[in-house]
Amino acid sequence: MTVSSKDKPIRKIPLTKLFPNGFDKTNPEDMMKLTVLIQEKAAKDHSFDGYSVLNVDKNNRYAIIAPMSTFGKSGLEVDARAILNKEIKSIRLNVSECVDSAQKKTVANLESQPQNEGWSVIDFMRVTASECVVLLQQLDEKTLSSRRIFANVLGVQPWNIRLDRTQENGWRIRIKEGTVTYQASRFDTKMQEAVETVGKKGWFFKADPETGVIMVYPGTPPTFPKIVSCPKQLIGKNDLRHAYLGMKLPDRGRETGDWLALDWKSGPGIMVAAAANSGKSVVINTLIGAALEAGFDLAVCDDEDKSVDFQWCRPWVIDHGWGCDGIESSAATLAHILEICSYRSKLIKKYGVENWWGLPDDEKEKNPLLLLVCDEVAQWAGNVNIPKVQKDNPMRIRAEYEASIHAANITYSMKITQKARFSGICFLFCGQSVRLQDGFDPGLRVNLTTVISPTLQPSTAVEDLLGGAKDIPEIPENIMQPGISRGAGLIRLPGMKPVIYKGFYDEKPGQSYSDLLCERLTKIRPPKGNMNSGHWGWGDIVNTVPAAAEKPDDGSMYTDDDTDNGFPTDGFGEDGRDVADRDKPLRGAAAAAHASKLYAAGVDVPHMSGADAALRIARDLSAKDM
């Protein structure tokens, strides 16, 4: 990592407050802790970037810290003092023996002489047009081996860098001017490997290209706490541009990571993909809480049996926004979102702006951002297997019907991801698999530009969505330990490489995480609805999704305000006939009654098969410019 330390002052840090139990500069643990505190301070105040411990007073009351530029400038002064103290030898030679092409031979010659046994060449300095001075110093084996390793990374001869031990028990590297300029893109990866070879896992470095100084610090591998709770300073801070959901893995040398947030404007489409029991619901609920706190409207589609995960936020769901009572309610909810999208598109066109973000404030207040959450997509939009039985077999009839509704849901979802983001509608799609047959069409996936894996071991398909193995950061072994890895995962924000993070989570006796979210949210934004918010009656579903009129039962899972919804009792098809006779054409009065019911639902044909229903939905969407 590179920093700039130019023109920064030397600072004095009192240690008594930071170390109330006392500080001992001879204790490596205390020095390492001081290094961590300096790095944490630099993360919050960048004026402290590039600082290292210069000295600690003899009574351990304060530390003097200095920018890296200080160590670069003092090199010649240190050499002069060392020569006077006979810690460094200086040998004058003809300049021809000091040119770059001759240096290797000169070093071998000088270091092999008996009087120089145990001394190593550390520099060549030209003093006149015809003379140069070669400096030699006694270096221990650890210094010599470390110098060779670092010089190899930088592509220079060992005598073109100076290596000194630091107060923190690390190393200070000074690159000789005119040899090489440190470039992060060129050297960072290999330098970190060298640092861990010279030290151990957890050691880190900072480089200042301007001064040619590299500081190597002892440290421990970055890790997470067992639970990352949302800090008090972030509660109530979620807004239209920030949805806080956890902590990034701390940088080397730090104990705490930066807070991780999504930007709804730059990344309105989100995918959360992982197997069951991976923490997927926790991530989804965190994002729902963040969105509602910021003033979003909410709509939810989910498998009916799984929708208990979202009961906590149901009082905030919009009218006709609960698509969790069966596949028909999911279709109706998605169609409703498209209607909202269509209305807002006209509004955007009216004001001559590019998208929802450009609308006047009063219009944005009347039409707030909306988050559509679609969980367990495979259950209501995945492929449906049609049994190979007779066409009039009830199992086949039901499967064909379900396939038609699933097809509608895929079509609606595709349209939403393609168009809704311009209308102030954000969408979060979740599933255990991201395959085409599980409802994740490539045309849908491409618009989900934020990808979240709630686990550190994603499937190959999810790994590809994160950018591929080449972009996924190395997972430190220490965070794979039980307890630490729980809640940790990978996230790729739009235009960025994936990072390791750990999501917010908390629990109290008798209260789940969603209970705590609901409790916190109620204080910030009391709900206007109840536990029945967003419900669809069967009649409204049929009016919104005409294909639902072909349901091979009475839709008894749905309720209407009207006691008579016009549908027959169990054992008969939706047109009053036995299910086994469903595909036979109606005749006479029965045909007229059936046709009038379909006309009322907006369908102008007396009977449609499952395939015809799906085609009809596509035509309706096209006609409505959805």
Side-chain angles (χ1 to χ4, degrees):
M1 180 179 179
T2 58
V3 297
S4 176
S5 60
K6 190 177 180 180
D7 301 326
K8 290 182 178 180
I10 293 176
R11 301 175 188 256
K12 183 177 180 180
I13 298 178
L15 298 175
T16 50
K17 289 184 179 180
L18 298 176
F19 296 86
N21 296 323
F23 179 86
D24 181 2
K25 63 182 177 181
T26 64
N27 183 348
E29 294 295 323
D30 282 359
M31 291 301 295
M32 194 181 299
K33 179 65 176 177
L34 179 57
T35 297
V36 169
L37 291 172
I38 295 171
Q39 300 304 316
E40 293 287 355
K41 179 68 175 178
K44 298 176 177 64
D45 181 353
H46 292 299
S47 68
F48 279 83
D49 277 343
Y51 272 82
S52 296
V53 177
L54 182 62
N55 199 7
V56 176
D57 80 299
K58 62 181 181 180
N59 296 317
N60 294 308
R61 293 176 302 174
Y62 59 85
I64 302 298
I65 63 173
M68 292 160 69
S69 57
T70 301
F71 303 106
K73 293 174 182 176
S74 61
L76 292 177
E77 298 170 10
V78 172
D79 287 347
R81 288 196 299 269
I83 291 171
L84 289 174
N85 294 332
K86 298 185 178 180
E87 295 170 359
I88 291 179
K89 281 185 180 183
S90 63
I91 300 175
R92 286 182 176 266
L93 295 175
N94 186 281
V95 72
S96 63
E97 298 179 84
C98 300
V99 295
D100 291 346
S101 59
Q103 286 180 2
K104 197 170 183 179
K105 182 178 180 181
T106 301
V107 169
N109 179 44
L110 290 174
E111 292 181 353
S112 64
Q113 295 175 9
Q115 67 270 28
N116 295 329
E117 183 178 356
W119 292 76
S120 301
V121 173
I122 61 170
D123 204 356
F124 285 84
M125 301 175 64
R126 189 164 181 169
V127 290
T128 68
S130 59
E131 280 189 318
C132 71
V133 170
V134 181
L135 302 181
L136 293 87
Q137 189 176 21
Q138 290 180 310
L139 304 176
D140 59 38
E141 284 301 318
K142 181 63 176 177
T143 303
L144 284 170
S145 63
S146 299
R147 187 177 72 153
R148 283 194 297 270
I149 291 171
F150 291 132
N152 184 55
V153 169
L154 296 169
V156 297
Q157 296 292 351
W159 49 87
N160 285 328
I161 63 172
R162 296 289 189 91
L163 198 62
D164 305 294
R165 284 186 170 86
T166 66
Q167 288 281 328
E168 296 104 326
N169 301 304
W171 297 97
R172 177 171 59 250
I173 305 168
R174 287 179 285 151
I175 304 172
K176 185 173 183 179
E177 188 175 358
T179 56
V180 66
T181 300
Y182 191 91
Q183 296 175 318
S185 59
R186 181 181 172 189
F187 297 121
D188 270 3
T189 300
K190 290 183 178 180
M191 180 58 71
Q192 182 58 43
E193 292 173 357
V195 165
E196 293 181 358
T197 299
V198 169
K200 59 182 180 180
K201 287 283 187 182
W203 282 44
F204 65 103
F205 73 97
K206 304 277 183 173
D208 184 353
E210 291 184 81
T211 61
V213 176
I214 303 170
M215 303 296 294
V216 177
Y217 304 91
T220 56
T223 188
F224 289 118
K226 288 188 175 181
I227 292 179
V228 177
S229 300
C230 182
K232 290 182 179 179
Q233 67 265 30
L234 291 184
I235 294 177
K237 297 299 183 183
N238 287 295
D239 55 36
L240 302 187
R241 299 299 300 273
H242 300 86
Y244 292 97
L245 71 155
M247 176 194 288
K248 295 179 184 178
L249 182 67
D251 292 332
R252 293 181 180 90
R254 294 182 59 192
E255 290 181 341
T256 60
D258 295 331
W259 301 120
L260 175 66
L262 306 183
D263 184 342
W264 296 110
K265 185 176 182 180
S266 64
I270 303 166
M271 175 187 288
V272 180
N277 301 316
S278 62
K280 178 165 60 72
S281 294
V282 172
V283 177
I284 298 168
N285 283 333
T286 297
L287 290 173
I288 290 174
L292 291 174
E293 185 181 297
F296 277 62
D297 280 346
L298 177 67
V300 182
C301 292
D302 194 10
D303 177 53
E304 185 178 11
D305 295 333
K306 185 76 165 43
S307 61
V308 66
D309 288 345
F310 303 115
Q311 289 294 332
W312 75 271
C313 59
R314 186 160 184 178
W316 284 274
V317 170
I318 62 170
D319 185 37
H320 284 167
W322 185 254
C324 308
D325 289 328
I327 58 176
E328 297 87 0
S329 72
S330 297
T333 298
L334 295 172
H336 181 50
I337 297 300
L338 281 171
E339 289 173 356
I340 294 173
C341 176
S342 180
Y343 169 78
R344 292 186 177 187
S345 295
K346 293 173 183 176
L347 199 62
I348 290 168
K349 185 176 181 180
K350 172 186 172 183
Y351 283 98
V353 294
E354 292 184 358
N355 51 44
W356 180 91
W357 296 90
L359 288 173
D361 290 342
D362 60 331
E363 290 291 0
K364 287 193 285 191
E365 187 175 345
K366 288 185 288 186
N367 301 276
L369 285 175
L370 187 154
L371 176 62
L372 169 65
V373 176
C374 296
D375 196 11
E376 299 297 340
V377 174
Q379 300 302 316
W380 46 266
N383 282 2
V384 176
N385 292 323
I386 308 298
K388 296 179 179 180
V389 295
Q390 294 295 321
K391 287 183 63 177
D392 59 355
N393 186 293
M395 290 176 58
R396 178 166 179 170
I397 292 170
R398 176 173 291 278
E400 288 180 339
Y401 166 77
E402 289 180 357
S404 72
I405 300 299
H406 280 227
N409 287 334
I410 292 173
T411 303
Y412 293 149
S413 298
M414 288 272 289
K415 290 290 183 181
I416 288 170
T417 60
Q418 290 166 355
K419 293 190 174 185
R421 63 185 183 275
F422 302 109
S423 305
I425 297 172
C426 302
F427 34 91
L428 193 163
F429 282 78
C430 321
Q432 297 182 32
S433 167
V434 294
R435 300 177 304 173
L436 172 63
Q437 56 265 44
D438 293 317
F440 283 91
D441 187 280
L444 183 149
R445 293 197 304 256
V446 74
N447 292 305
L448 305 177
T449 55
T450 294
V451 179
I452 302 175
S453 166
T455 173
L456 292 169
Q457 296 175 312
S459 66
T460 302
V462 176
E463 190 177 85
D464 289 341
L465 293 172
L466 287 164
K470 68 181 188 309
D471 285 340
I472 292 180
E474 179 184 356
I475 310 298
E477 293 179 7
N478 58 296
I479 67 170
M480 293 301 295
Q481 298 174 4
I484 302 300
S485 63
R486 184 186 179 195
L490 296 159
I491 181 170
R492 179 176 64 82
L493 300 175
M496 299 176 66
K497 290 187 176 182
V499 297
I500 302 169
Y501 84 103
K502 188 163 185 172
F504 290 143
Y505 183 75
D506 212 344
E507 58 186 2
K508 292 182 180 179
Q511 285 185 295
S512 67
Y513 179 57
S514 56
D515 292 334
L516 296 172
L517 280 176
C518 183
E519 183 180 275
R520 186 178 84 195
L521 187 60
T522 300
K523 295 177 182 178
I524 298 172
R525 181 189 172 186
K528 296 180 181 179
N530 53 42
M531 297 309 293
N532 199 44
S533 292
H535 175 72
W536 285 89
W538 182 248
D540 288 334
I541 286 177
V542 173
N543 285 332
T544 306
V545 186
E550 293 292 304
K551 187 176 179 67
D553 59 29
D554 64 347
S556 58
M557 70 188 70
Y558 300 94
T559 58
D560 278 314
D561 293 334
D562 298 331
T563 56
D564 180 12
N565 61 13
F567 289 92
T569 56
D570 289 344
F572 293 90
E574 50 80 26
D575 54 16
R577 293 175 292 168
D578 188 275
V579 172
D581 296 326
R582 179 182 175 280
D583 276 349
K584 295 179 180 178
L586 290 169
R587 299 182 184 279
H594 180 57
S596 64
K597 183 163 53 177
L598 292 180
Y599 286 136
V603 182
D604 58 0
V605 292
H607 174 72
M608 291 188 295
S609 68
D612 289 338
L615 290 172
R616 178 56 185 268
I617 288 166
R619 287 196 297 269
D620 287 347
L621 284 173
S622 178
K624 294 178 181 179
D625 193 26
M626 291 186 184

